[in-house]
Amino acid sequence: MSKTDFSDLTICKDAQQMLAKAREEGVETVWDRKRAQEPHCGFCELGLSCRNCAMGPCRIDPFGHGPQRGVCGADAHVIVARNVGRSVASGAAAHSDHGRDLVETLHAIGEGSTTDYTIRDPEKLARIAVELGIETAGKDTNALARAVSERLFEDYGIRRNSLAFIGRAPQKRRDLWKKLGITPRGIDREVVEMMHRTHMGVDNEPVNLLLHAARVALSDGWAGSLTATELSDVIFGTPTPRVAQVNLAVLKEDHVNILVHGHNPIVSEAILAATKDPGLIKAAKDKGAAGINLAGLCCTGNELLMRQGIPMAGNHLMSELAIVTGAVDLIIVDYQCIMPGLVTVAGCYHSKVITTSPKAHFSGAEHVEFSLDNARQKALQAVGMAIEAYSGRDPKRVFIPGSPVPMMTGFSNEAVIGALGGTLTPLIDAIKAGQIRGAVGIVGCNNPRVKHDFANSELAKELIKRDILVLVTGCATVSTGKQGLLMPEAASLAGPGLSAVCRALGIPPVLHVGSCVDNSRIMSLCAALATTLGVDISDLPVAAAAPEWYSEKAVAIGLYAVASGVFTVLGVTPPVLGSSVVAGLLTNGLEGVVGATFAIEPDPCKAAELIDARIRTKRLALGLSA
Ligand code: XCC
Ligand code: SF4
């Protein structure tokens, strides 16, 4: 049982208060369900179980007393490697299928078959067209939209020699991928090939399996996710810096409260537009509300936050607790990271859950299917349902804790380079001078196995102290935002060099660069830095960390970072320790192959030390001060 103040489960006051309320009201949360699962299966934790075929399921005894092979004869190394491969395939598929939805949206805009979406950044569309080698002369924006989307569709299905954006990676890196035979050829192709290889009796050599896992991950990082980011910018606008707010207090007691949850801005942007509809605002007022309030959760929240400054109610582990406030009238979801338990929690209150994607139905939720030709109308309908639900709210059960924390957002690469005067030179100079010793992307999730938000925010604090610039995406954004680290004032927590740079530019020492797919922004920035310096990404004083990761998408992100040359620290042990070959390759052997590895370190202070040591080594190798 946890302490009654719940401070052992989460560092966030708003979460602690909602956990107390949930306990009082008999509402089960993710932490209760996790406890009910303990102890977790030891075979699965080590990656030693397999159910890939009906001769099994099988498991390998890690102590050597029981079976050492599955029924088919697969040993521990093959089983663990196959399991890693399938996780990477699932994660890459999730990001990339999200990207595909944006390609389809761009195509529909170009064809004129949707009028519910437009192109807000035609200059970026034109830049991408040039990058992809598309003739732009004489083409209007719609023609460019068609041409770009048609080229990007080919990254999914058709076999080409190379992916559209692969040219962004430094030449040295591309040469290395080629030498290793892991240049990604197509998004769907690499995922499908992984499913093929992990079928019984196909690829039974762990190193070969892991190399393909790297190829799958690269197709995510340099194609699927990158496509999602770039086209979201084209369609919904490239983010620019602005101040917004975060935590549960962004909910408003006297408003109709709508939360968007999921990943794809296609639905959440339509909802945002609908909340501004004068007829609906009037309808809300007629019901006694002061207005309609929209806030985000998880990555679709990050998408709206980055581009529109819409406040964030919380991250992954806050999604159920947001409903426990009793103030959420509607939660509208697209896909990914939406816990099925959300529907049960909503059932304890008046809150309505609406699903929107044909790919993501939830038992117990209402389904309002969005498509490109009905998005505006469906969004109006959904907001109307929120207003209806508001009438059923029980004011006696409403408790919104605390007050909102301000946070800066919107640091797209375009915005960063713009703020630096149009080139990377000032950033490179600051790195050379040691004012900024290096940069680290803290990415991803929460996991109830880790004290909520603790590892994400402590690691950020430890790094900025050491003059290491931090870039955050996904759920780590909310963790660090709630601690005040995303405001320029946080410069006072940074080391002297970083602090001076932040003060000069008026920026925070922790920059919000977007959602999970926007980790591709970090890769593109690393690539641009490496290319400018004439080195490979693995030569840069950079690292990545996923202190509280839970998702298969995080596995794909971690692996594309490593395969691109970025040292990556995981705070949660992945299920690989059952194979010395797989664990050894991931945490050591890959260094000699791709110039980077994973490290596993749950303690954020020790993780910061590992990263610091790495950055020191890389700086010295570049002939810079440590
Ligand atoms: Fe999901 Fe993207 Fe993880 Fe948050 S961070 S829990 S994947 S919402 Ni990407
Ligand atoms: Fe067992 Fe092999 Fe089938 Fe896996 S693939 S379940 S190890 S027989």
Side-chain angles (χ1 to χ4, degrees), residues 573-626:
T573 307
V576 299
L577 299 186
S579 162
S580 54
V581 172
V582 174
L585 193 68
L586 293 177
T587 59
N588 184 20
L590 278 177
E591 185 73 50
V593 183
V594 293
T597 61
F598 287 99
I600 300 169
E601 180 49 69
D603 178 337
C605 292
K606 290 187 188 152
E609 279 165 26
L610 288 176
I611 290 170
D612 192 331
R614 179 79 178 186
I615 284 178
R616 186 178 294 269
T617 312
K618 293 295 167 187
R619 289 185 59 84
L620 291 173
L622 286 170
L624 305 174
S625 64

Side-chain angles (χ1 to χ4, degrees), residues 192 221 229 299 390-391 434 498 520 537 584 595 623:
V192 167
T229 294
C299 279
Y390 171 80
S391 311
L498 178 58
S520 62
I537 294 174

Side-chain angles (χ1 to χ4, degrees), residues 191-373:
V191 171
V192 167
E193 187 172 316
M194 181 54 85
M195 298 313 285
H196 177 194
R197 288 189 189 216
T198 53
H199 186 278
M200 202 303 278
V202 184
D203 198 354
N204 288 292
E205 205 285 305
V207 176
N208 204 44
L209 274 162
L210 287 178
L211 281 174
H212 186 67
R215 195 175 209 178
V216 176
L218 289 171
S219 80
D220 174 359
W222 295 91
S225 281
L226 187 51
T227 295
T229 294
E230 296 301 71
L231 296 196
S232 295
D233 284 357
V234 167
I235 298 167
F236 301 113
T238 302
T240 52
R242 66 188 77 212
V243 177
Q245 292 185 322
V246 60
N247 78 19
L248 287 184
V250 305
L251 296 169
K252 294 181 181 163
E253 196 157 354
D254 59 352
H255 279 61
V256 173
N257 287 307
I258 300 176
L259 290 178
V260 284
H261 184 4
H263 280 77
N264 201 317
I266 295 173
V267 171
S268 49
E269 284 274 356
I271 295 291
L272 171 61
T275 58
K276 295 177 181 159
D277 180 80
L280 285 171
I281 294 172
K282 180 171 180 303
K285 289 187 172 159
D286 289 346
K287 295 272 185 197
I292 304 171
N293 180 41
L294 182 70
L297 289 168
C298 290
C299 279
T300 209
N302 275 308
E303 301 274 349
L304 288 188
L305 171 69
M306 276 288 276
R307 298 195 182 83
Q308 321 294 351
I310 295 301
M312 278 294 255
N315 49 11
H316 181 49
L317 287 185
M318 295 305 293
S319 56
E320 292 179 327
L321 299 183
I323 296 174
V324 175
T325 60
V328 174
D329 304 299
L330 172 72
I331 176 159
I332 182 156
V333 309
D334 49 271
Y335 41 56
Q336 298 171 20
C337 299
I338 301 139
M339 288 189 274
L342 204 67
V343 181
T344 319
V345 175
C348 302
Y349 300 88
H350 73 296
S351 314
K352 202 171 238 334
V353 182
I354 293 183
T355 53
T356 57
S357 164
K359 299 170 197 177
H361 286 245
F362 284 63
S363 302
E366 217 161 307
H367 190 71
V368 175
E369 194 155 307
F370 276 55
S371 65
L372 291 173
D373 50 16

